[in-house]
Amino acid sequence: MAISKIVNNKKQHHHSYISVPSEIINSLSSTSLQSLADTPKKTAAVSKISNFSNLKICKNPRIWFLFLFTCGFLFMLKSYKFDPFSPYPCGILGQKDDSKLISNGALSSVVKINEKDDKKLSDFWEQPDGLGYRPCLDFSNEYKKSSVEILKDRTKYLVVVVSGGMNQQRNQIVDAVVIARILGATLVVPILQVNVIWGDESEFSDIFDVEHFKRSLADDVRVISSLPSNHLMSRPVEEKHTPLHVSPQWIRSRYLKRMKREGVLLLRGLDSRLSKDLPSDLQKLRCKVAFHALRFAPPIFDLGNKLTERMRSKGPYLALHLRMEKDVWVRTGCLPGLSSKYDEIIYNERKLRPELLTSRSNMTYHDRKLAGLCPLNALEVTRLLKALRAPKNARIFWAGGDPLGGKEALLPLMKAYPNFYNKEDLALPGELEPFANKASIMAALDYIVSEKSDVFMPSHGGNMGHAIQGHRAYAGHRKTITPNKRQMLSYFLNPSLPEAEFNKIIFDLHRDSMGQPVIRTSKSGRDVTKYPIPECMCNDSLVQQA
């Protein structure tokens, strides 16, 4: 519409020749071309020349004809202000008219609309204000002094066996280092238990950079790859039933004497066994392990960075961690929302293995949904992204295992956001083959690409979502959307709510859920590796103000 207005305005003014495609010229009639030539100025010129010929100045008809033609042609060019040597042969008037259109007319509206759209689309990629917080792992003098004796000790060794998926293993390794520090013991590189669900037999060195792990913790805990030969035949003290959320005092009173006597302590099942509220130095050690020491092994690290570069090659991207696997629906007591066929599959699996249901077995599916305990399905994620103004051309990397229902489960997202990729889509032929049937390594690749994204959003909580949230906060509070499921799902279940009103409500609900700094003291009992302020990050401006 705007362009047609410009063409119409140019036709009305007739101030200059306009360069147009030959197809348009061919479409003009001879009558319209003649009307352009029959101007008052041209008629007057011809009349004057006719009078001049009556004076019979020139007797040669050929010379007279050439003179008439030359004068008429030059006079016409002058009347149209045509300068063949100008960079703009159509003259200055054409430029002035165009500039008027740009400043006052149709082109102006096009420019303004485009700028408005670009700004609206770019809002989604804007990062939260980090308020000046930066990583800050300043250990106390007392901690540093005690490190000297701890690192010299060769009498106590801690062996730990960690279980679960890769991110669950990360959490347990973090706590294993802290427990070794509490006991003043040497830590043997943790043993990764074979994953029961995925059958992954990866060892620590397959997933993490062992030498980097040792170097990073050289001032905190002594780490060795295996037990010394004089302890290989000893029977270690084994503890399988450590209570939840124990304190450092409990750890020392329970294990220290036995460890000194036997020399070796074997711990299993460390998940959430150590309290989340520890003295400041031990909290800092947790952050040091999670954000510095636990670097992925070089092959994983390199490939993860390549996948990241491929995602970013055409601009910013969003990473989604989708929890839509069969075991997730079974364990959460929720339904995938695909069809009665898949609901029946989940119901039967849960009936056969009731122990898989993690908690609150007395709640109905509907109650769980409203309480925010269920993962979002693809349709809900799509509606949430639209409400949060994710542009239609947004590049999306989705992390996670194969969803129940395959691609059918992802159709709403793929239809709304066609630039939709996972690691299999991004990898070149053969790049993923070395990691086939290695679920933990595949999860590590997802972790790298998600952690480095411009925007990250998990469809459900869990170890990976929490770990990446903390990592992104520690890296400068990069935008991390936390779906406010408990408050928003009642609106999702209201079909009579107009879309515009729904979008506004959902957008307003998430204004403070974009990865802004959150002080952990208001989240007592939460993991410092998810909320690294104030133990692991500090703000110089706040210190100066104080």
Side-chain angles (χ1 to χ4, degrees):
M1 181 65 73
I3 295 174
S4 65
K5 286 183 180 179
I6 296 166
V7 174
N8 290 336
N9 286 339
K10 285 184 180 283
K11 284 184 178 180
Q12 292 169 7
H13 288 303
H14 299 278
H15 288 311
S16 66
Y17 290 108
I18 302 174
S19 177
V20 295
S22 60
E23 293 83 354
I24 298 177
I25 293 176
N26 294 334
S27 68
L28 293 174
S29 67
S30 60
T31 305
S32 61
L33 290 172
Q34 182 63 38
S35 65
L36 289 173
D38 292 339
T39 62
K41 290 185 179 181
K42 184 190 173 202
T43 304
V46 173
S47 176
K48 288 180 181 180
I49 294 169
S50 178
N51 293 334
F52 180 69
S53 66
N54 292 331
L55 297 177
K56 299 181 179 180
I57 296 174
C58 182
K59 294 181 180 180
N60 190 327
R62 292 181 181 178
I63 295 175
W64 165 236
F65 180 81
L66 179 62
F67 180 80
L68 280 177
F69 179 82
T70 304
C71 289
F73 183 74
L74 292 174
F75 193 88
M76 184 178 67
L77 292 180
K78 184 178 179 182
S79 68
Y80 279 98
K81 298 189 177 182
F82 179 84
D83 182 2
F85 301 103
S86 167
Y88 302 100
C90 287
I92 299 173
L93 281 177
Q95 284 181 287
K96 287 183 178 178
D97 289 346
D98 285 348
S99 66
K100 284 183 179 180
L101 287 169
I102 291 173
S103 60
N104 299 321
L107 278 180
S108 175
S109 64
V110 172
V111 172
K112 288 179 180 177
I113 289 170
N114 288 340
E115 288 176 352
K116 183 178 179 182
D117 287 347
D118 288 343
K119 184 179 187 305
K120 182 179 178 181
L121 296 182
S122 66
D123 285 348
F124 180 77
W125 305 111
E126 286 183 1
Q127 299 297 310
D129 186 352
L131 303 178
Y133 282 100
R134 60 176 180 82
C136 184
L137 299 181
D138 296 330
F139 292 93
S140 68
N141 290 331
E142 182 181 353
Y143 180 91
K144 294 175 182 177
K145 288 179 182 178
S146 61
S147 296
V148 177
E149 295 301 320
I150 289 173
L151 295 174
K152 285 181 181 179
D153 191 288
R154 299 291 187 274
T155 62
K156 303 188 295 294
Y157 294 89
L158 176 63
V159 178
V160 296
V161 178
V162 298
S163 59
M166 190 275 295
N167 290 287
Q168 194 174 0
Q169 291 171 345
R170 280 176 61 96
N171 293 340
Q172 294 174 50
I173 292 167
V174 170
D175 281 357
V177 173
V178 176
I179 292 172
R181 174 74 192 200
I182 292 170
L183 295 171
T186 297
L187 177 66
V188 179
V189 170
I191 300 168
L192 275 53
Q193 183 174 312
V194 176
N195 194 293
V196 178
I197 297 176
W198 297 289
D200 191 339
E201 298 180 357
S202 298
E203 298 180 358
F204 188 99
S205 59
D206 295 325
I207 302 174
F208 303 106
D209 188 331
V210 177
E211 296 308 314
H212 177 80
F213 183 73
K214 293 178 181 178
R215 286 194 304 271
S216 299
L217 300 173
D219 295 331
D220 308 277
V221 172
R222 181 169 172 257
V223 181
I224 59 175
S225 297
S226 59
L227 281 172
S229 57
N230 60 322
H231 285 283
L232 290 177
M233 300 302 294
S234 61
R235 185 176 180 179
V237 178
E238 183 173 359
E239 179 61 67
K240 299 179 182 179
H241 306 293
T242 304
L244 295 173
H245 310 303
V246 297
S247 66
Q249 292 76 16
W250 190 96
I251 293 286
R252 292 190 188 97
S253 63
R254 175 80 174 184
Y255 301 133
L256 200 52
K257 287 183 179 180
R258 296 162 62 188
M259 183 180 245
K260 287 180 178 178
R261 183 175 67 246
E262 302 294 338
V264 181
L265 172 65
L266 173 61
L267 293 180
R268 297 177 183 271
L270 289 182
D271 197 19
S272 297
R273 302 305 172 185
L274 187 60
S275 172
K276 304 301 181 187
D277 298 308
L278 298 175
S280 178
D281 285 323
L282 295 180
Q283 297 286 61
K284 287 179 169 61
L285 181 57
R286 264 183 167 150
C287 290
K288 188 173 183 178
V289 180
F291 305 138
H292 296 278
L294 279 176
R295 187 168 72 185
F296 292 113
I300 301 172
F301 187 76
D302 293 342
L303 180 54
N305 285 332
K306 288 178 183 177
L307 300 180
T308 300
E309 290 169 7
R310 291 167 196 167
M311 276 304 301
R312 181 159 286 123
S313 62
K314 296 183 181 179
Y317 71 94
L318 159 71
L320 288 177
H321 184 215
L322 300 178
R323 303 302 311 280
M324 299 167 60
E325 302 95 325
K326 179 181 176 181
D327 70 290
V328 174
W329 296 118
V330 173
R331 287 188 290 104
T332 57
C334 301
L335 297 177
L338 293 172
S339 66
S340 57
K341 167 189 170 183
Y342 291 107
D343 289 348
E344 189 71 18
I345 291 173
I346 296 302
Y347 175 78
N348 291 336
E349 185 76 16
R350 197 177 294 134
K351 190 175 180 180
L352 289 172
R353 303 182 64 186
E355 72 278 4
L356 293 177
L357 186 59
T358 51
S359 63
R360 306 187 188 184
S361 57
N362 60 329
M363 294 179 70
T364 65
Y365 158 68
H366 186 72
D367 290 339
R368 287 173 176 273
K369 189 82 172 174
L370 289 178
L373 299 175
C374 292
L376 298 176
N377 60 35
L379 179 60
E380 291 162 343
V381 171
T382 303
R383 294 188 70 191
L384 176 57
L385 289 177
K386 287 182 177 180
L388 297 179
R389 303 172 186 173
K392 293 179 180 179
N393 64 347
R395 291 169 60 78
I396 297 179
F397 174 83
W398 70 274
D402 293 332
L404 177 67
K407 284 192 175 181
E408 179 186 344
L410 299 174
L411 282 179
L413 269 166
M414 296 171 70
K415 184 177 179 180
Y417 297 97
N419 297 319
F420 195 69
Y421 313 94
N422 65 1
K423 52 188 173 291
E424 284 80 10
D425 300 319
L426 298 173
L428 300 178
E431 279 187 320
L432 293 177
E433 285 182 10
F435 312 126
N437 302 318
K438 301 284 186 180
S440 292
I441 295 177
M442 292 296 190
L445 292 172
D446 279 344
Y447 188 102
I448 293 171
V449 184
S450 298
E451 191 274 321
K452 294 180 180 294
S453 65
D454 299 274
V455 180
F456 172 71
M457 188 180 85
S459 67
H460 191 51
N463 293 307
M464 180 166 168
H466 294 167
I468 291 178
Q469 176 183 330
H471 212 144
R472 292 171 65 83
Y474 190 76
H477 289 94
R478 295 202 298 269
K479 187 170 182 177
T480 303
I481 302 169
T482 304
N484 194 340
K485 291 187 290 184
R486 186 171 297 178
Q487 293 188 42
M488 75 181 187
L489 281 172
S490 59
Y491 300 105
F492 276 77
L493 299 174
N494 183 357
S496 63
L497 192 64
E499 185 178 4
E501 186 178 349
F502 170 84
N503 289 343
K504 184 180 184 307
I505 292 171
I506 298 303
F507 185 84
D508 290 340
L509 279 176
H510 289 85
R511 287 184 184 275
D512 297 324
S513 303
M514 299 291 179
Q516 298 93 333
V518 176
I519 310 300
R520 199 192 73 88
T521 50
S522 65
K523 301 279 187 181
S524 181
R526 304 293 181 91
D527 200 327
V528 70
T529 59
K530 182 182 179 182
Y531 301 101
I533 301 174
E535 289 94 344
C536 304
M537 301 185 76
C538 51
N539 190 324
D540 294 336
S541 60
L542 294 179
V543 173
Q544 291 172 3
Q545 291 175 8

